[in-house]
Amino acid sequence: MSNTADGVNSQGPGTMDADLFMLTGEPPKVPWWRRLLAALSPLRQVQTLKMRLAIGSFLALSLGMSVTAWDMSEVAEAAILLRSQQREFIEAQQLAALLSHRVAEIQRALNLAAEQFAPDMLENHDKLLALLQAQPILRSMFANVYVVGRDGSMKMLLTTKGESRAVPNVASRDYFQRTMSTGLAVISEPIEGRINSEPVIVFTQPLRDGGGTWGVLCGSLRLTSRDLIGFLTETRDFDDRSAIVVTDDTGRILAHPQQASLLKPLALDPRLSEAAAKWLQAGRPLISTAEAWSGVGDVVAMAGEPITGWHVWRVASRDELLAPLYAARSNALKVASVVCAILTTALCLFLAWQLKPLRKLELRAAELLQGNDIGEWPQATGEIGKLTQTLRHVWAERTQAERFNGQVLLKLTSVMSASPVGLAFVRHQRFELFSAEGCRMLGYQESELVGQSASFIFPAREDHNNLQEQARLAFEQGQSYEGEWRLLDAAGATFWARIRARPVIAGDRESGSIWSLNNIEEQIALRLQLERAALNDPLTGVLNRKGFALKLSEAFLAPASTPTASVVMLDLDHFKPVNDLGGHAAGDAMLQAIVRVISSQVRGTDVVARMGGDEFAILLPRCDEVQALAVAEKIRHSVCELAMPWQGQTFQVGASIGVACRPKSYTDVEQWLAAADAACYEAKRGGRNLVRSAVAPLEVKVRDPARIH
């Protein structure tokens, strides 16, 4: 720093910081060509105001045009994906309907052919052969057509090459046994064929008369050579970007463009793995209307076929669908870049002309720093003229402000150093002072905190923004602020602290505020421990009645689009002898064992609670009545299997269980819980150790009197 004109060092009171201005002084006496090279150097150009404005304008224009182009492309992308998804929905549903129609045709053809058979034909080779050869439609549908007797022996087999003499016995096949036992047409699971060891699906039709079922007419489809989707792709016009896959109700692939994927789980297909996971998580629903199961990289639609329980999947690549859009977006960004460059060049030339007075103002500021208060100020209008007028007063005002601030900070430092709590002085959202106790609490030196943004000690900037807004509202109402927040110390650990803040001068935001910090980590931990104790059963560790009521209320108030939930009420049977014979310690041990058994039979997201005594409750989210009854039956069986040894004795109990799936007619949680409790009572009254479902209340609809006449 240079000295002022009156001989006072520039670092003392009444001086101005040199880094406020560019201390260029008089231009150095160097050759003109060196000055020209220095003026044209890239670093010098970037440091100038006009170049920074030009660069900022270029970036703003580029960003604006890029965001506009990108937003338009995003809208177009969303529209394309929506249209593609709708198309996939329609195609998947139509394919499922076509597959259903095809299956119905096959079954109808088998039924018509079966009507032409008579029991005496089974032992007449020529009649059977003639009758099957007279069924060209039936033979065109299947790879193999054969007739089986009551004992499972194959009486006649026609393959695509003609009659086969290899006639194995199919009495052990599940599809044959089901057809004979039920007398109904059956569609088999994928099995290994007896003729050529290829995977096949067999359609059966019982041969019946007044005396019962005396034979079975069968037709088999080879999954490898007569693909299930062969007739689909022949009858519909598909583009190359879509693939069709058919699975059974377990997710096993029955038809696939790649034969190597046949009979493998759908989850192993890279393009359908994410959709398969969603479908399995949803409980493998059979949906006749197509729904979206799309993943990140593909558009996936699925529709179910109700006769067989098969599912038709259509998958199309997002990248292929959006490739033309991506190309158009890239070209638009290139054009925008060229336009921005041209506009920026023109703006740079205009700014160079407009900012010439700034150089004169720069030299005048350098003279002020050297103590020369005599000189001419540049003549300019607008913002530069206002800046010139401001600089005439800045010297005295800055000197006075620095002297005042020095006195205030000296007083604050003395007070804060003696404070037993953490204190901080914050102005313009930055720490200007920090007490020794506050530094110790956070693990920093004062020099590491002073000058930092107040958000520095918060784990997330959003927390500091929320505190700032809450404090502002409190200050505007003439009140101090107090709140509890998590803070971040120097070691990276977080702790709870109570922050109290009040402005230095009420109504003057520029004066800053004083913060006091208190570590309340132990108080928060104790409070949380008390809250957990109030909601959990001390014996078993699961929720108590109060905690369960809170969870049940959350499930009851869930949006209508949320899948239904069920409540299971469980009351132990024969629990009193455990207490009478083994004492309360045995009863407590049995209750703890029952909780472990129940927890082993439910999901991690399910809620288990002890309602009191030997009564328990389970909340099953996303679980309908059928699924809830299955879970309840598993719990009942596991409880019955539990045998607890105790001091030479073995205790066993049973479980009476009631299940209530939430209907829309329930108006509050109490009705839902009462329905499950009533079902549990019915299980008790019915003989105990039973599972009963609650009877849903009737929904009464009042007819509009105006529409009666």
Side-chain angles (χ1 to χ4, degrees), residues 503-514:
V504 175
I505 301 176
D508 184 6
R509 299 180 59 183
E510 297 298 322
S511 64
S513 59
I514 297 293

Side-chain angles (χ1 to χ4, degrees), residues 404-419 421-427 430-436 446 450 502-505 510-515:
F404 174 77
N405 290 339
Q407 294 173 353
V408 172
L409 290 177
L410 182 61
K411 295 177 181 178
L412 285 176
T413 302
S414 300
V415 172
M416 296 178 71
S417 61
S419 173
V421 298
L423 291 177
F425 174 59
V426 182
R427 186 167 59 173
R430 291 190 176 274
F431 295 120
E432 295 193 0
L433 287 177
F434 226 102
S435 71
E446 184 179 9
V450 172
R502 63 180 304 163
V504 175
I505 301 176
E510 297 298 322
S511 64
S513 59
I514 297 293
W515 289 12

